[in-house]
Amino acid sequence: MRILVLGGGGREHAIVRALVSSIRTPEVLVAPGNGGTASIATNVPDLKIESARVVADYAAENKVDLVVIGPEGPLVAGVADALHARGIKVFGPSGLAARLEGSKAFAKGIMRRNAIPTGESRCYTLREFTQAQQALEKATFPVVVKADGLAAGKGVTIANNKAEAEAAMRQSFNGAFGEAGETVLIEEFLEGPECSLLAFVDGETVTVMPPAQDHKRAFDGDTGPNTGGMGVYSPVPGVDDETLAAMTRLLEKTVTGMHGENLRFRGVLYGGFILTKDGPKVLEYNARFGDPETQVLLPRLKTDLIDVMLAVADGRLNSQTVTWSPEAAVCVVIAAGGYPGEYEKGKVITGIADAEALEGVSVYHAGTELRADGTLVTSGGRVLGVTALAPTLAQARERAYEAAAKISFDGMQMRTDIAARALGGAQ
Ligand code: GLY
């Protein structure tokens, strides 16, 4: 079996590791891949993964049996549609279904039409700036200003007053996020802890994964700028069975609502929830595996990932059992100095083998490159994700930090408080 994975982050390294450990012993191609995938699969560095035609041609020419789409860009660009049209199995939703992530206004519409709790919001374009200003006169602050489209996690501002909200809108309308910012949402600010609940979805059946919680801010104590994610843990101690059931129902309502509009969502539906005093509400959806959530979820998956992905692609998830290890997982992200601002590349990385020699530890590569001479160097902002699996969250956390301490490169930074609050410590 030949599988093509699109993407080159820690998420994709975790996906590829799970795929190559399958009893089906697949041949795995990864585009573009990274320094970690290079040693367990074949990297295809130059494939234009956001071009639907290019990916479909490549998959057809190389007799690929299954394409797994990691990031949102190719999903929203309709890569899954082009593969379907060529009769190639794909794990990932169509371009229209991926608008759940690709357009916040579309997602709000689905939520409104299906009575899915979320923050109150309204959309504005540049032509409606005056109406937005009038609405802001009466708003309760803070409000959240969001670019409608994909902005690589950068299009969200929490505005504490009218001036800050207007400044965020101007920034978006002035092209800071390209086309993604031509429409802006002004949204009610919701309070409570956040929780990610991801599910395998085949258009009808929703099979949830264990809850996870990531840490988006760069520095300890949840301070500093937003990042792609500096660490994550699973399970989430504060999420009881009732809350999990409520979040699951909201994902099911989303999928049923999409189906009712002729949109079959197939792939991973990621619900970003906020646990308010009135119950869970949806903050946002993603149409894919999370990064770094995948780096704590897939190590806990006991079922063969290929079986699950094929069941999703074929629309027969209702007959596929999916089981999870009861162990806890903590992932600590090691980033380049300066990230998420400017950072240098090409720093030599050492200590990964020593880290992985510890029981239950896997080191997932994100921004790494394996040079021809065998040297592993940094090539991105988030460089590695160090995941530890252990019987308890406290043990997993301790093991992840013990492993991370064995890794070294010039300028490396990481948060020291991943999962601390969940364990009752300061964060
Ligand atoms: N961890 C957040 C995301 O994958 O978007």
PDB file of all heavy atoms in Angstrom, residues 326-363:
ATOM      1  N   PRO A 326      -5.213   4.060  28.059  1.00  0.00           N
ATOM      2  CA  PRO A 326      -5.622   4.891  29.198  1.00  0.00           C
ATOM      3  C   PRO A 326      -4.492   5.778  29.709  1.00  0.00           C
ATOM      4  O   PRO A 326      -4.689   6.611  30.583  1.00  0.00           O
ATOM      5  CB  PRO A 326      -6.033   3.848  30.249  1.00  0.00           C
ATOM      6  CG  PRO A 326      -5.288   2.611  29.877  1.00  0.00           C
ATOM      7  CD  PRO A 326      -5.068   2.643  28.395  1.00  0.00           C
ATOM      8  N   GLU A 327      -3.285   5.610  29.156  1.00  0.00           N
ATOM      9  CA  GLU A 327      -2.151   6.399  29.648  1.00  0.00           C
ATOM     10  C   GLU A 327      -2.314   7.887  29.312  1.00  0.00           C
ATOM     11  O   GLU A 327      -3.035   8.246  28.379  1.00  0.00           O
ATOM     12  CB  GLU A 327      -0.855   5.886  29.035  1.00  0.00           C
ATOM     13  CG  GLU A 327      -0.447   4.532  29.614  1.00  0.00           C
ATOM     14  CD  GLU A 327       0.995   4.210  29.304  1.00  0.00           C
ATOM     15  OE1 GLU A 327       1.370   4.200  28.132  1.00  0.00           O
ATOM     16  OE2 GLU A 327       1.750   3.958  30.250  1.00  0.00           O
ATOM     17  N   ALA A 328      -1.638   8.706  30.082  1.00  0.00           N
ATOM     18  CA  ALA A 328      -1.645  10.149  29.826  1.00  0.00           C
ATOM     19  C   ALA A 328      -0.461  10.506  28.933  1.00  0.00           C
ATOM     20  O   ALA A 328       0.548   9.791  28.910  1.00  0.00           O
ATOM     21  CB  ALA A 328      -1.538  10.906  31.140  1.00  0.00           C
ATOM     22  N   ALA A 329      -0.611  11.604  28.196  1.00  0.00           N
ATOM     23  CA  ALA A 329       0.488  12.063  27.338  1.00  0.00           C
ATOM     24  C   ALA A 329       0.686  13.567  27.504  1.00  0.00           C
ATOM     25  O   ALA A 329      -0.296  14.322  27.595  1.00  0.00           O
ATOM     26  CB  ALA A 329       0.185  11.732  25.877  1.00  0.00           C
ATOM     27  N   VAL A 330       1.933  13.966  27.559  1.00  0.00           N
ATOM     28  CA  VAL A 330       2.281  15.403  27.611  1.00  0.00           C
ATOM     29  C   VAL A 330       3.305  15.654  26.517  1.00  0.00           C
ATOM     30  O   VAL A 330       4.258  14.886  26.360  1.00  0.00           O
ATOM     31  CB  VAL A 330       2.871  15.793  28.990  1.00  0.00           C
ATOM     32  CG1 VAL A 330       3.408  17.234  28.967  1.00  0.00           C
ATOM     33  CG2 VAL A 330       1.830  15.645  30.092  1.00  0.00           C
ATOM     34  N   CYS A 331       3.082  16.716  25.750  1.00  0.00           N
ATOM     35  CA  CYS A 331       4.044  17.103  24.704  1.00  0.00           C
ATOM     36  C   CYS A 331       4.558  18.510  24.987  1.00  0.00           C
ATOM     37  O   CYS A 331       3.760  19.443  25.155  1.00  0.00           O
ATOM     38  CB  CYS A 331       3.367  17.066  23.333  1.00  0.00           C
ATOM     39  SG  CYS A 331       4.413  17.696  21.999  1.00  0.00           S
ATOM     40  N   VAL A 332       5.870  18.642  25.057  1.00  0.00           N
ATOM     41  CA  VAL A 332       6.517  19.945  25.263  1.00  0.00           C
ATOM     42  C   VAL A 332       7.164  20.343  23.938  1.00  0.00           C
ATOM     43  O   VAL A 332       7.972  19.581  23.395  1.00  0.00           O
ATOM     44  CB  VAL A 332       7.593  19.849  26.371  1.00  0.00           C
ATOM     45  CG1 VAL A 332       8.328  21.171  26.515  1.00  0.00           C
ATOM     46  CG2 VAL A 332       6.968  19.423  27.689  1.00  0.00           C
ATOM     47  N   VAL A 333       6.796  21.502  23.431  1.00  0.00           N
ATOM     48  CA  VAL A 333       7.366  21.956  22.157  1.00  0.00           C
ATOM     49  C   VAL A 333       8.668  22.720  22.423  1.00  0.00           C
ATOM     50  O   VAL A 333       8.718  23.589  23.304  1.00  0.00           O
ATOM     51  CB  VAL A 333       6.359  22.849  21.394  1.00  0.00           C
ATOM     52  CG1 VAL A 333       7.010  23.539  20.202  1.00  0.00           C
ATOM     53  CG2 VAL A 333       5.167  22.004  20.932  1.00  0.00           C
ATOM     54  N   ILE A 334       9.697  22.379  21.682  1.00  0.00           N
ATOM     55  CA  ILE A 334      10.965  23.117  21.755  1.00  0.00           C
ATOM     56  C   ILE A 334      11.044  23.990  20.507  1.00  0.00           C
ATOM     57  O   ILE A 334      10.920  23.494  19.380  1.00  0.00           O
ATOM     58  CB  ILE A 334      12.170  22.157  21.824  1.00  0.00           C
ATOM     59  CG1 ILE A 334      11.992  21.197  23.001  1.00  0.00           C
ATOM     60  CG2 ILE A 334      13.458  22.950  21.955  1.00  0.00           C
ATOM     61  CD1 ILE A 334      13.175  20.250  23.209  1.00  0.00           C
ATOM     62  N   ALA A 335      11.193  25.290  20.735  1.00  0.00           N
ATOM     63  CA  ALA A 335      11.143  26.248  19.621  1.00  0.00           C
ATOM     64  C   ALA A 335      12.491  26.946  19.467  1.00  0.00           C
ATOM     65  O   ALA A 335      13.335  26.940  20.371  1.00  0.00           O
ATOM     66  CB  ALA A 335      10.050  27.274  19.877  1.00  0.00           C
ATOM     67  N   ALA A 336      12.656  27.565  18.301  1.00  0.00           N
ATOM     68  CA  ALA A 336      13.866  28.355  18.041  1.00  0.00           C
ATOM     69  C   ALA A 336      13.787  29.667  18.819  1.00  0.00           C
ATOM     70  O   ALA A 336      12.692  30.216  18.991  1.00  0.00           O
ATOM     71  CB  ALA A 336      13.952  28.642  16.545  1.00  0.00           C
ATOM     72  N   GLY A 337      14.936  30.155  19.274  1.00  0.00           N
ATOM     73  CA  GLY A 337      14.977  31.435  19.987  1.00  0.00           C
ATOM     74  C   GLY A 337      14.366  32.529  19.122  1.00  0.00           C
ATOM     75  O   GLY A 337      14.673  32.633  17.946  1.00  0.00           O
ATOM     76  N   GLY A 338      13.469  33.331  19.714  1.00  0.00           N
ATOM     77  CA  GLY A 338      12.833  34.417  18.954  1.00  0.00           C
ATOM     78  C   GLY A 338      11.445  34.066  18.461  1.00  0.00           C
ATOM     79  O   GLY A 338      10.626  34.953  18.223  1.00  0.00           O
ATOM     80  N   TYR A 339      11.158  32.754  18.275  1.00  0.00           N
ATOM     81  CA  TYR A 339       9.836  32.337  17.809  1.00  0.00           C
ATOM     82  C   TYR A 339       8.775  32.840  18.788  1.00  0.00           C
ATOM     83  O   TYR A 339       9.017  32.780  19.975  1.00  0.00           O
ATOM     84  CB  TYR A 339       9.784  30.805  17.701  1.00  0.00           C
ATOM     85  CG  TYR A 339       8.408  30.266  17.396  1.00  0.00           C
ATOM     86  CD1 TYR A 339       7.902  30.284  16.115  1.00  0.00           C
ATOM     87  CD2 TYR A 339       7.599  29.753  18.429  1.00  0.00           C
ATOM     88  CE1 TYR A 339       6.622  29.799  15.844  1.00  0.00           C
ATOM     89  CE2 TYR A 339       6.335  29.273  18.157  1.00  0.00           C
ATOM     90  CZ  TYR A 339       5.849  29.304  16.871  1.00  0.00           C
ATOM     91  OH  TYR A 339       4.588  28.838  16.599  1.00  0.00           O
ATOM     92  N   PRO A 340       7.616  33.337  18.429  1.00  0.00           N
ATOM     93  CA  PRO A 340       7.056  33.369  17.084  1.00  0.00           C
ATOM     94  C   PRO A 340       7.456  34.588  16.265  1.00  0.00           C
ATOM     95  O   PRO A 340       6.902  34.814  15.183  1.00  0.00           O
ATOM     96  CB  PRO A 340       5.551  33.373  17.332  1.00  0.00           C
ATOM     97  CG  PRO A 340       5.413  34.135  18.615  1.00  0.00           C
ATOM     98  CD  PRO A 340       6.630  33.807  19.426  1.00  0.00           C
ATOM     99  N   GLY A 341       8.422  35.375  16.735  1.00  0.00           N
ATOM    100  CA  GLY A 341       8.963  36.469  15.931  1.00  0.00           C
ATOM    101  C   GLY A 341      10.075  35.912  15.042  1.00  0.00           C
ATOM    102  O   GLY A 341      10.046  34.749  14.664  1.00  0.00           O
ATOM    103  N   GLU A 342      11.051  36.764  14.769  1.00  0.00           N
ATOM    104  CA  GLU A 342      12.136  36.324  13.888  1.00  0.00           C
ATOM    105  C   GLU A 342      13.037  35.322  14.595  1.00  0.00           C
ATOM    106  O   GLU A 342      13.281  35.442  15.799  1.00  0.00           O
ATOM    107  CB  GLU A 342      12.972  37.536  13.493  1.00  0.00           C
ATOM    108  CG  GLU A 342      12.135  38.552  12.769  1.00  0.00           C
ATOM    109  CD  GLU A 342      12.871  39.169  11.599  1.00  0.00           C
ATOM    110  OE1 GLU A 342      14.103  39.215  11.648  1.00  0.00           O
ATOM    111  OE2 GLU A 342      12.178  39.585  10.667  1.00  0.00           O
ATOM    112  N   TYR A 343      13.517  34.349  13.884  1.00  0.00           N
ATOM    113  CA  TYR A 343      14.413  33.359  14.479  1.00  0.00           C
ATOM    114  C   TYR A 343      15.404  32.901  13.416  1.00  0.00           C
ATOM    115  O   TYR A 343      15.165  33.055  12.217  1.00  0.00           O
ATOM    116  CB  TYR A 343      13.626  32.166  15.031  1.00  0.00           C
ATOM    117  CG  TYR A 343      12.715  31.531  14.008  1.00  0.00           C
ATOM    118  CD1 TYR A 343      13.200  30.591  13.102  1.00  0.00           C
ATOM    119  CD2 TYR A 343      11.374  31.901  13.916  1.00  0.00           C
ATOM    120  CE1 TYR A 343      12.380  30.031  12.146  1.00  0.00           C
ATOM    121  CE2 TYR A 343      10.533  31.348  12.963  1.00  0.00           C
ATOM    122  CZ  TYR A 343      11.045  30.420  12.073  1.00  0.00           C
ATOM    123  OH  TYR A 343      10.244  29.874  11.111  1.00  0.00           O
ATOM    124  N   GLU A 344      16.516  32.334  13.915  1.00  0.00           N
ATOM    125  CA  GLU A 344      17.535  31.830  12.980  1.00  0.00           C
ATOM    126  C   GLU A 344      17.317  30.345  12.701  1.00  0.00           C
ATOM    127  O   GLU A 344      16.689  29.646  13.503  1.00  0.00           O
ATOM    128  CB  GLU A 344      18.925  32.037  13.590  1.00  0.00           C
ATOM    129  CG  GLU A 344      19.303  33.506  13.671  1.00  0.00           C
ATOM    130  CD  GLU A 344      20.677  33.694  14.289  1.00  0.00           C
ATOM    131  OE1 GLU A 344      21.455  32.722  14.371  1.00  0.00           O
ATOM    132  OE2 GLU A 344      20.955  34.830  14.693  1.00  0.00           O
ATOM    133  N   LYS A 345      17.846  29.902  11.575  1.00  0.00           N
ATOM    134  CA  LYS A 345      17.755  28.484  11.203  1.00  0.00           C
ATOM    135  C   LYS A 345      19.165  27.902  11.121  1.00  0.00           C
ATOM    136  O   LYS A 345      20.148  28.634  11.210  1.00  0.00           O
ATOM    137  CB  LYS A 345      17.077  28.344   9.839  1.00  0.00           C
ATOM    138  CG  LYS A 345      15.665  28.881   9.791  1.00  0.00           C
ATOM    139  CD  LYS A 345      15.072  28.678   8.409  1.00  0.00           C
ATOM    140  CE  LYS A 345      13.691  29.294   8.333  1.00  0.00           C
ATOM    141  NZ  LYS A 345      13.124  29.215   6.987  1.00  0.00           N
ATOM    142  N   GLY A 346      19.240  26.601  10.913  1.00  0.00           N
ATOM    143  CA  GLY A 346      20.543  25.968  10.667  1.00  0.00           C
ATOM    144  C   GLY A 346      21.321  25.639  11.922  1.00  0.00           C
ATOM    145  O   GLY A 346      22.525  25.370  11.851  1.00  0.00           O
ATOM    146  N   LYS A 347      20.668  25.644  13.085  1.00  0.00           N
ATOM    147  CA  LYS A 347      21.372  25.300  14.337  1.00  0.00           C
ATOM    148  C   LYS A 347      21.416  23.780  14.497  1.00  0.00           C
ATOM    149  O   LYS A 347      20.386  23.109  14.333  1.00  0.00           O
ATOM    150  CB  LYS A 347      20.622  25.886  15.541  1.00  0.00           C
ATOM    151  CG  LYS A 347      20.342  27.381  15.431  1.00  0.00           C
ATOM    152  CD  LYS A 347      21.614  28.183  15.538  1.00  0.00           C
ATOM    153  CE  LYS A 347      21.324  29.677  15.443  1.00  0.00           C
ATOM    154  NZ  LYS A 347      22.559  30.443  15.261  1.00  0.00           N
ATOM    155  N   VAL A 348      22.587  23.269  14.841  1.00  0.00           N
ATOM    156  CA  VAL A 348      22.749  21.811  14.957  1.00  0.00           C
ATOM    157  C   VAL A 348      22.031  21.308  16.221  1.00  0.00           C
ATOM    158  O   VAL A 348      22.183  21.862  17.308  1.00  0.00           O
ATOM    159  CB  VAL A 348      24.248  21.439  15.008  1.00  0.00           C
ATOM    160  CG1 VAL A 348      24.432  19.937  15.251  1.00  0.00           C
ATOM    161  CG2 VAL A 348      24.927  21.856  13.712  1.00  0.00           C
ATOM    162  N   ILE A 349      21.232  20.242  16.030  1.00  0.00           N
ATOM    163  CA  ILE A 349      20.428  19.684  17.136  1.00  0.00           C
ATOM    164  C   ILE A 349      21.086  18.402  17.640  1.00  0.00           C
ATOM    165  O   ILE A 349      21.431  17.521  16.854  1.00  0.00           O
ATOM    166  CB  ILE A 349      19.005  19.332  16.637  1.00  0.00           C
ATOM    167  CG1 ILE A 349      18.348  20.549  15.979  1.00  0.00           C
ATOM    168  CG2 ILE A 349      18.146  18.814  17.781  1.00  0.00           C
ATOM    169  CD1 ILE A 349      17.076  20.201  15.208  1.00  0.00           C
ATOM    170  N   THR A 350      21.222  18.290  18.959  1.00  0.00           N
ATOM    171  CA  THR A 350      21.772  17.050  19.545  1.00  0.00           C
ATOM    172  C   THR A 350      20.836  16.536  20.641  1.00  0.00           C
ATOM    173  O   THR A 350      19.996  17.278  21.142  1.00  0.00           O
ATOM    174  CB  THR A 350      23.161  17.297  20.174  1.00  0.00           C
ATOM    175  OG1 THR A 350      23.024  18.299  21.185  1.00  0.00           O
ATOM    176  CG2 THR A 350      24.176  17.733  19.135  1.00  0.00           C
ATOM    177  N   GLY A 351      21.006  15.271  20.974  1.00  0.00           N
ATOM    178  CA  GLY A 351      20.354  14.707  22.170  1.00  0.00           C
ATOM    179  C   GLY A 351      19.038  13.982  21.928  1.00  0.00           C
ATOM    180  O   GLY A 351      18.433  13.478  22.876  1.00  0.00           O
ATOM    181  N   ILE A 352      18.582  13.916  20.667  1.00  0.00           N
ATOM    182  CA  ILE A 352      17.272  13.293  20.427  1.00  0.00           C
ATOM    183  C   ILE A 352      17.289  11.806  20.785  1.00  0.00           C
ATOM    184  O   ILE A 352      16.362  11.292  21.416  1.00  0.00           O
ATOM    185  CB  ILE A 352      16.818  13.522  18.967  1.00  0.00           C
ATOM    186  CG1 ILE A 352      16.518  15.005  18.774  1.00  0.00           C
ATOM    187  CG2 ILE A 352      15.578  12.683  18.636  1.00  0.00           C
ATOM    188  CD1 ILE A 352      16.070  15.383  17.389  1.00  0.00           C
ATOM    189  N   ALA A 353      18.366  11.105  20.427  1.00  0.00           N
ATOM    190  CA  ALA A 353      18.423   9.662  20.731  1.00  0.00           C
ATOM    191  C   ALA A 353      18.406   9.443  22.245  1.00  0.00           C
ATOM    192  O   ALA A 353      17.727   8.540  22.743  1.00  0.00           O
ATOM    193  CB  ALA A 353      19.678   9.051  20.110  1.00  0.00           C
ATOM    194  N   ASP A 354      19.110  10.309  22.992  1.00  0.00           N
ATOM    195  CA  ASP A 354      19.116  10.161  24.462  1.00  0.00           C
ATOM    196  C   ASP A 354      17.712  10.400  25.010  1.00  0.00           C
ATOM    197  O   ASP A 354      17.265   9.720  25.930  1.00  0.00           O
ATOM    198  CB  ASP A 354      20.070  11.186  25.100  1.00  0.00           C
ATOM    199  CG  ASP A 354      21.521  10.848  24.797  1.00  0.00           C
ATOM    200  OD1 ASP A 354      21.778   9.686  24.416  1.00  0.00           O
ATOM    201  OD2 ASP A 354      22.377  11.744  24.921  1.00  0.00           O
ATOM    202  N   ALA A 355      17.014  11.380  24.442  1.00  0.00           N
ATOM    203  CA  ALA A 355      15.645  11.675  24.915  1.00  0.00           C
ATOM    204  C   ALA A 355      14.741  10.480  24.634  1.00  0.00           C
ATOM    205  O   ALA A 355      13.976  10.047  25.501  1.00  0.00           O
ATOM    206  CB  ALA A 355      15.113  12.935  24.220  1.00  0.00           C
ATOM    207  N   GLU A 356      14.873   9.909  23.429  1.00  0.00           N
ATOM    208  CA  GLU A 356      13.977   8.806  23.063  1.00  0.00           C
ATOM    209  C   GLU A 356      14.357   7.491  23.749  1.00  0.00           C
ATOM    210  O   GLU A 356      13.575   6.533  23.703  1.00  0.00           O
ATOM    211  CB  GLU A 356      13.943   8.628  21.537  1.00  0.00           C
ATOM    212  CG  GLU A 356      13.244   9.803  20.866  1.00  0.00           C
ATOM    213  CD  GLU A 356      12.700   9.499  19.478  1.00  0.00           C
ATOM    214  OE1 GLU A 356      13.486   9.000  18.656  1.00  0.00           O
ATOM    215  OE2 GLU A 356      11.528   9.765  19.223  1.00  0.00           O
ATOM    216  N   ALA A 357      15.518   7.461  24.389  1.00  0.00           N
ATOM    217  CA  ALA A 357      15.894   6.251  25.132  1.00  0.00           C
ATOM    218  C   ALA A 357      15.074   6.138  26.422  1.00  0.00           C
ATOM    219  O   ALA A 357      14.989   5.068  27.024  1.00  0.00           O
ATOM    220  CB  ALA A 357      17.386   6.284  25.443  1.00  0.00           C
ATOM    221  N   LEU A 358      14.473   7.238  26.853  1.00  0.00           N
ATOM    222  CA  LEU A 358      13.641   7.197  28.067  1.00  0.00           C
ATOM    223  C   LEU A 358      12.325   6.496  27.750  1.00  0.00           C
ATOM    224  O   LEU A 358      11.757   6.683  26.670  1.00  0.00           O
ATOM    225  CB  LEU A 358      13.369   8.620  28.577  1.00  0.00           C
ATOM    226  CG  LEU A 358      14.573   9.395  29.080  1.00  0.00           C
ATOM    227  CD1 LEU A 358      14.165  10.818  29.443  1.00  0.00           C
ATOM    228  CD2 LEU A 358      15.160   8.695  30.309  1.00  0.00           C
ATOM    229  N   GLU A 359      11.816   5.751  28.709  1.00  0.00           N
ATOM    230  CA  GLU A 359      10.606   4.956  28.476  1.00  0.00           C
ATOM    231  C   GLU A 359       9.420   5.860  28.125  1.00  0.00           C
ATOM    232  O   GLU A 359       9.168   6.876  28.788  1.00  0.00           O
ATOM    233  CB  GLU A 359      10.289   4.148  29.740  1.00  0.00           C
ATOM    234  CG  GLU A 359       9.287   3.063  29.480  1.00  0.00           C
ATOM    235  CD  GLU A 359       8.883   2.363  30.770  1.00  0.00           C
ATOM    236  OE1 GLU A 359       9.671   2.356  31.730  1.00  0.00           O
ATOM    237  OE2 GLU A 359       7.752   1.845  30.784  1.00  0.00           O
ATOM    238  N   GLY A 360       8.703   5.498  27.089  1.00  0.00           N
ATOM    239  CA  GLY A 360       7.465   6.204  26.734  1.00  0.00           C
ATOM    240  C   GLY A 360       7.680   7.509  25.994  1.00  0.00           C
ATOM    241  O   GLY A 360       6.728   8.250  25.755  1.00  0.00           O
ATOM    242  N   VAL A 361       8.933   7.822  25.619  1.00  0.00           N
ATOM    243  CA  VAL A 361       9.205   9.135  25.000  1.00  0.00           C
ATOM    244  C   VAL A 361       9.338   9.015  23.479  1.00  0.00           C
ATOM    245  O   VAL A 361      10.011   8.129  22.967  1.00  0.00           O
ATOM    246  CB  VAL A 361      10.493   9.765  25.594  1.00  0.00           C
ATOM    247  CG1 VAL A 361      10.899  11.020  24.810  1.00  0.00           C
ATOM    248  CG2 VAL A 361      10.270  10.108  27.062  1.00  0.00           C
ATOM    249  N   SER A 362       8.664   9.927  22.775  1.00  0.00           N
ATOM    250  CA  SER A 362       8.827  10.058  21.314  1.00  0.00           C
ATOM    251  C   SER A 362       9.133  11.522  21.031  1.00  0.00           C
ATOM    252  O   SER A 362       8.480  12.408  21.584  1.00  0.00           O
ATOM    253  CB  SER A 362       7.535   9.722  20.569  1.00  0.00           C
ATOM    254  OG  SER A 362       7.088   8.449  20.905  1.00  0.00           O
ATOM    255  N   VAL A 363      10.089  11.747  20.163  1.00  0.00           N
ATOM    256  CA  VAL A 363      10.410  13.130  19.781  1.00  0.00           C
ATOM    257  C   VAL A 363       9.935  13.338  18.348  1.00  0.00           C
ATOM    258  O   VAL A 363      10.405  12.662  17.422  1.00  0.00           O
ATOM    259  CB  VAL A 363      11.926  13.413  19.908  1.00  0.00           C
ATOM    260  CG1 VAL A 363      12.235  14.840  19.464  1.00  0.00           C
ATOM    261  CG2 VAL A 363      12.391  13.183  21.338  1.00  0.00           C
TER     262      VAL A 363
END
